Amino acid sequence: MNKSHIIITLILFSILLIGRIIHAWGVSTDDENFSYRVAGMVLTFSVIVFAAAMNVAVVLFSS
């Protein structure tokens, strides 16, 4: 069981959702604005990397 705080989980979920919406907005426009796509990808990958690092820290430092 992951021992992360619910507030951290909700913040990460919110950032991930915003990132996916921004990315979808950039893809759905006719001119495909790459700045929105890149911003969405950065937010998405940042959440994935941060959550993975948190999980590794929990495994390594919980005794």
Side-chain angles (χ1 to χ4, degrees):
M1 183 170 133
N2 193 339
K3 299 174 184 170
S4 66
H5 198 273
I6 188 69
I7 299 298
I8 294 171
T9 305
L10 289 174
I11 290 170
L12 288 176
F13 168 74
S14 300
I15 294 170
L16 180 65
L17 183 64
I18 290 167
R20 298 313 301 153
I21 290 170
I22 291 171
H23 184 266
W25 181 274
V27 172
S28 67
T29 58
D30 290 334
D31 59 350
E32 283 197 31
N33 192 342
F34 287 108
S35 62
Y36 289 125
R37 292 181 67 188
V38 170
M41 288 186 285
V42 167
L43 286 174
T44 299
F45 287 125
S46 297
V47 168
I48 292 170
V49 168
F50 185 77
M54 278 182 30
N55 282 320
V56 168
V58 166
V59 169
L60 290 177
F61 300 116
S62 67
S63 299

